[in-house]
Amino acid sequence: MPRLVDYTENGERATPTFTVQEMTRRQSALRDLMASLDIDVCLFTSYHNICYLSDFLYCRFGRRYGLVIDANSVTSISAGIDGGQPWRRTAGHNVTYTDWQHDNYFYAAKGLIGKARRIGIEFDQVDVEFKGLLEHHFPEAQFVDISAPSMRLRMIKSDEEIAHITQMTRIADLGGAACVSAIAEGVPEHEVALASTGAMVREIANTWPDGELLDTWTWFQSGINTDGAHNPVTSRRIKHGDILSLNCFPMVAGYYVALERTLFAGSVDDASRRLWEINCEVHDRGKQLLVEGARCSDIAKELNELYASYDLLQYRSFGYGHSFGVLCHYYGREAGLELREDCDTVLEAGMVVSMEPMITIPEGQPGAGGYREHDILVIEKGANQPRNITGFAYGPEHLIV
């Protein structure tokens, strides 16, 4: 049985998400980085870097995938179970390995990497077993970490990326509107989430008729379920006076955006309204701080002081925001661009960042629940404020449903 199978030319190439010029820009920037680090070839294994550099988003399901980049070529390594889809989607070449022999993945990789002296890999993605296999199959090579430097390349978005993300925030707003329309007393969380997700998927299909429709989702939470930002949807039914949280996440070509809002069902009590208004104040101030030259840690510290002035800092749940681009709930994160006290990155033009303050008031206290607002903003050169590409209203004037 063959170790490799040829699926090239199986159908026509898919319509790419980005232009040839954009993908060439990304790959050229990566090659410049490789030259500066004296790296002969890179073997990328993460969802985010493979997608960012090739426009191919794989489905792992227990098999290994890769993207090999050297000075002359870009080649994805995919499993036979995917047929010709990886070739159709890759901005480059493709090699497909079969299941028929052990370590066929490494057979494919060796055919592309050869006797390279220094190989770039992602230390934050390579587990102990995989690292041992790499050392076994490439005993003469030195492995160099490329994860953090490649992340920094992804943090500055091109005009094409920003246009793509902006379209997606428009779709997230549509998902939010569908979510609000579906809310009513007695309706279970999952029905609200389904209405939102369906609206977003249909609009994605209209906007990108040649795109792949995968991974768009909605988390809609009510009552106690609002206490965590990533709590899954349940069948809990909405009750009058419930605190609610909508979380709309369209996914297109590996790019993810978010719309998150606090709502109340029917009415809001005084204690909850006060907390909600304070969180909106923090949200408003945070957006004003997202300008070129600001330091992530300084933004977090100033917003901490605002929460502390209301004696609410102890209820803050997580960081104030993060970079957006090729990332998702099951892969990827540009950890170098997070609005936290331990991140000293300075904001630059072309960065796309969220502002998403959240406080969680424990059960049994007045106003119990999780309060969170979330906008996505583009840092622009020389501007005294960022460009907000989220358009959905927030606060008690708009979202008592």
Side-chain angles (χ1 to χ4, degrees):
M1 301 295 286
R3 299 184 72 117
L4 305 177
V5 61
D6 186 3
Y7 278 116
T8 60
E9 310 300 331
N10 196 56
E12 300 295 325
R13 288 278 197 177
T15 302
T17 308
F18 299 99
T19 64
V20 171
Q21 292 79 8
E22 169 65 11
M23 298 310 295
T24 300
R25 179 196 68 80
R26 299 180 189 190
Q27 295 168 2
S28 297
L30 190 278
R31 289 188 173 111
D32 289 344
L33 177 61
M34 291 167 59
S36 71
L37 297 174
D38 192 25
I39 292 175
D40 302 312
V41 61
C42 282
L43 172 61
F44 288 102
T45 50
S46 67
Y47 289 97
H48 40 281
N49 272 323
I50 292 176
C51 181
Y52 180 76
L53 293 163
S54 74
D55 202 25
F56 165 51
L57 184 62
Y58 66 84
C59 174
R60 189 171 192 271
F61 225 121
R63 293 175 172 86
R64 292 190 171 97
Y65 288 76
L67 187 73
V68 176
I69 300 184
D70 60 21
N72 303 304
S73 63
V74 175
T75 307
S76 60
I77 302 173
S78 60
I81 194 170
D82 296 321
Q85 184 262 359
W87 171 77
R88 293 192 294 272
R89 286 286 169 185
T90 298
H93 309 288
N94 171 259
V95 170
T96 300
Y97 69 94
T98 71
D99 291 343
W100 314 138
Q101 292 88 19
H102 187 62
D103 282 350
N104 279 355
Y105 172 87
F106 293 98
Y107 178 84
K110 288 169 73 173
L112 298 171
I113 293 172
K115 297 185 181 299
R117 178 178 52 91
R118 282 169 59 85
I119 303 174
I121 61 174
E122 298 164 272
F123 280 19
D124 61 353
Q125 298 292 314
V126 173
D127 58 31
V128 173
E129 179 189 30
F130 188 47
K131 180 74 182 315
L133 290 168
L134 285 172
E135 291 170 341
H136 170 76
H137 288 282
F138 300 96
E140 304 301 321
Q142 179 182 2
F143 294 98
V144 182
D145 184 25
I146 195 69
S147 55
S150 62
M151 174 189 67
R152 286 191 287 273
L153 291 181
R154 300 196 314 273
M155 280 163 46
I156 305 294
K157 274 49 180 183
S158 68
D159 290 343
E160 281 194 34
E161 285 183 281
I162 292 171
H164 181 81
I165 294 168
T166 301
Q167 278 277 44
M168 294 177 63
T169 55
R170 176 184 65 83
I171 291 169
D173 287 348
L174 293 176
C179 189
V180 169
S181 295
I183 291 171
E185 291 179 41
V187 175
E189 292 177 1
H190 70 270
E191 291 295 342
V192 178
L194 285 169
S196 172
T197 301
M200 291 190 291
V201 170
R202 292 185 185 98
E203 184 59 24
I204 289 169
N206 289 333
T207 305
W208 289 277
D210 299 309
E212 297 175 334
L213 302 175
L214 74 165
D215 297 330
T216 292
W217 83 106
T218 300
W219 282 325
F220 177 76
Q221 300 136 352
S222 64
I224 184 63
N225 295 334
T226 65
D227 67 345
H230 295 165
N231 291 351
V233 172
T234 74
S235 58
R236 183 186 183 278
R237 293 180 181 272
I238 299 169
K239 301 175 184 177
H240 184 87
D242 268 349
I243 184 172
L244 310 172
S245 183
L246 68 81
N247 310 262
C248 300
F249 306 116
M251 280 279 294
V252 179
Y255 283 73
Y256 136 98
V257 302
L259 168 71
E260 301 172 8
R261 291 289 186 259
T262 302
L263 313 91
F264 274 80
S267 65
V268 59
D269 62 87
D270 291 343
S272 297
R273 179 185 284 271
R274 174 181 175 273
L275 293 163
W276 192 3
E277 289 175 342
I278 291 170
N279 207 57
C280 289
E281 180 184 345
V282 175
H283 182 57
D284 290 339
R285 180 56 184 153
K287 288 186 289 184
Q288 294 171 354
L289 298 174
L290 295 177
V291 294
E292 186 181 26
R295 191 178 302 275
C296 291
S297 55
D298 292 338
I299 294 171
K301 291 170 186 174
E302 178 166 338
L303 296 181
N304 281 347
E305 291 174 3
L306 184 51
Y307 271 139
S309 71
Y310 291 106
D311 194 26
L312 291 174
L313 182 57
Q314 66 270 33
Y315 300 121
R316 184 186 141 200
S317 300
F318 53 84
Y320 288 102
H322 58 83
S323 180
F324 273 79
V326 182
L327 55 95
C328 186
H329 59 315
Y330 60 81
Y331 66 81
R333 193 166 183 88
E334 293 167 8
L337 182 48
E338 297 203 10
L339 303 177
R340 305 189 336 183
E341 296 85 342
D342 60 353
C343 180
D344 289 327
T345 299
V346 175
L347 298 182
E348 301 178 41
M351 290 178 171
V352 179
V353 190
S354 63
M355 175 50 59
E356 48 180 306
M358 179 176 179
I359 51 174
T360 298
I361 309 302
E363 281 294 290
Q365 294 191 26
Y371 299 78
R372 182 172 70 262
E373 315 301 334
H374 181 297
D375 287 8
I376 296 178
L377 305 104
V378 179
I379 310 303
E380 297 188 313
K381 189 167 186 62
N384 60 8
Q385 62 182 9
R387 177 159 59 93
N388 192 342
I389 56 176
T390 296
F392 202 77
Y394 58 93
E397 296 78 14
H398 303 284
L399 293 179
I400 301 173
V401 181

